[in-house]
Amino acid sequence: MSDVRIVEVGPRDGLQNEKQPIPTTTKLALIDKLGAVGLREIETTSFVSPRRIPQVADHTAVMKSLVRRPGVRYPVLTPNLRGYQNAREAGADCVAVFASASEAFSQKNIECSIEESFARFAPIFEHAAKDGVEVRGYVSCVVACPYEGPVAAEKVAVVAKRLLDAGCYEISLGDTIGVGTPATVELLLERVTKDVPVGKIAGHFHDTYGMAVANVYAAWRLGVRTFDASVGGLGGCPYAKGATGNLATEDLVYMLHDLGETTGVDLEGLVDVAAFMAKELGRPVQSRVGRALLAKRTS
Ligand code: HMG
Ligand code: MG
């Protein structure tokens, strides 16, 4: 038995693409419920431009009203120093910067080149080191880019290593459009782990083609022990057209428990959280495990 860390990204990645405004109280209820079922890292919101991502316009209210559970980390996305400072004023003590392995996606998502994105991150790292704030790093488009097509593992390794050297405690590899397969994930990890220790890597697999759980298994077999997931499989990035949500947290937990891993997450309770959020959004639970376990309860 070993431990796998799950980074729950539902309140951020899961909701950022929702068109209807979700009340701040609902977001806070979601975050609280996720903590109650045992999730220990809950990505809460983003300190980005509300013009670009209207759903996170209430980032300050979310962070200021957050009732923190002991032992739970609540990272938030910060694209630049302004975002970092706003996040700190709102009470954030863990942030994430997000880079891309594709130039085109970097331009569309954060309106600058990869090089410029590192210049924007530099003051975040400086302040974070002084403030004792931990910084997570994301690399988007690790398999392919919605604008450029396939992305070479070499490019991913370069960006991942740069984030690590800049001070990130962990690098989350994002298959933003969910086109990866176990074969591509193996090739990717083979290359990236030459520069970044496997213990510093997290898998962030969107599930557009239904491959996310298989991709986790491939990464797990190669030693990755941290995975991002989103309750109910919510999510998508507004700048990655057609991409669906992340791997559903309940699908991940179901598989990990069967592999003998400890996650600390109560699976039935997690399915209740997926059902709560699905009801709030006015649609059925999307995840396979969620639907199966809910159906079992009524049969
Ligand atoms: P920019 O245009 O380069 O920045 O945007 P700017 O300094 O020229 O400012 C432009 C506007 O943004 C101005 O407002 C600024 O005030 C405002 P306007 O005058 O137009 O109303 N602004 C800000 N507002 C609030 N907070 C800030 C901030 N900075 C500037 N921190 C910027 C650069 C990054 C801000 C913009 O492009 C942006 O907000 N993009 C949104 C990016 C985003 O949130 N994408 C989704 C998350 S990433 C993702 O989902 C992938 C991931 O899940 C991994 C994966 O799946 O691959 C992480
Ligand atoms: Mg994502």
Side-chain angles (χ1 to χ4, degrees):
M1 263 231 249
S2 65
D3 277 324
V4 169
R5 280 176 51 229
I6 298 178
V7 180
E8 169 61 49
V9 296
R12 192 279 303 172
D13 205 343
L15 301 186
Q16 70 183 10
N17 210 18
E18 290 294 333
K19 297 292 168 273
Q20 65 195 89
I22 299 163
T24 306
T25 48
T26 304
K27 293 175 186 171
L28 289 164
L30 171 65
I31 295 163
D32 190 58
K33 286 174 190 294
L34 291 166
V37 298
L39 286 152
R40 288 293 161 261
E41 302 193 42
I42 305 171
E43 199 174 71
T44 308
T45 185
S46 310
F47 285 81
V48 299
S49 159
R51 195 172 48 80
R52 299 291 306 277
I53 312 274
Q55 191 59 253
V56 302
D58 63 351
H59 41 219
T60 297
V62 168
M63 285 311 286
K64 284 201 165 161
S65 313
L66 189 65
V67 179
R68 289 169 177 271
R69 284 174 187 272
V72 178
R73 189 147 53 172
Y74 299 94
V76 298
L77 259 53
T78 54
N80 52 20
L81 183 59
R82 176 167 161 198
Y84 176 84
Q85 284 168 336
N86 291 345
R88 289 290 290 153
E89 275 162 30
D93 55 9
C94 180
V95 302
V97 295
F98 47 111
S100 171
S102 137
E103 281 296 346
F105 187 76
S106 185
Q107 289 291 351
K108 295 272 185 196
N109 194 39
I110 53 174
E111 298 168 271
C112 64
S113 67
I114 298 171
E115 199 56 43
E116 283 161 346
S117 72
F118 276 92
R120 290 178 182 187
F121 302 154
I124 298 182
F125 287 111
E126 267 172 46
H127 283 258
K130 281 190 223 132
D131 300 343
V133 166
E134 294 180 295
V135 185
R136 191 171 204 243
Y138 276 104
V139 186
S140 283
C141 300
V142 300
V143 177
C145 165
Y147 311 102
E148 282 180 8
V151 171
E154 179 64 31
K155 286 190 176 175
V156 180
V158 169
V159 176
K161 173 85 165 69
R162 233 175 132 173
L163 286 170
L164 186 73
D165 290 346
C168 289
Y169 66 89
E170 171 171 278
I171 312 299
S172 176
L173 299 178
D175 179 12
T176 317
I177 53 174
V179 291
T181 63
T184 46
V185 167
E186 277 171 25
L187 284 173
L188 172 73
L189 287 173
E190 211 172 88
R191 176 62 193 88
V192 176
T193 52
K194 288 191 176 135
D195 290 326
V196 178
V198 74
K200 296 269 181 194
I201 291 176
H204 178 108
F205 302 115
H206 282 262
D207 203 23
T208 318
Y209 284 77
M211 294 289 120
V213 81
N215 291 342
V216 167
Y217 186 58
W220 178 83
R221 285 178 61 102
L222 291 172
V224 176
R225 290 293 180 272
T226 303
F227 297 100
D228 301 354
S230 150
V231 66
L234 298 166
C237 173
Y239 300 101
K241 208 168 184 301
T244 61
N246 290 83
L247 165 64
T249 316
E250 51 274 25
D251 290 2
L252 175 66
V253 169
Y254 178 83
M255 182 179 74
L256 289 173
H257 287 180
D258 192 59
L259 288 169
E261 292 287 5
T262 305
T263 64
V265 177
D266 162 20
L267 180 57
E268 289 288 344
L270 183 63
V271 170
D272 289 336
V273 185
F276 159 79
M277 206 53 221
K279 195 167 170 225
E280 290 293 326
L281 294 171
R283 56 177 182 249
V285 169
Q286 305 291 314
S287 72
R288 304 300 288 258
V289 168
R291 288 205 304 256
L293 290 180
L294 286 168
K296 216 168 146 188
R297 289 179 191 177
T298 51
S299 63

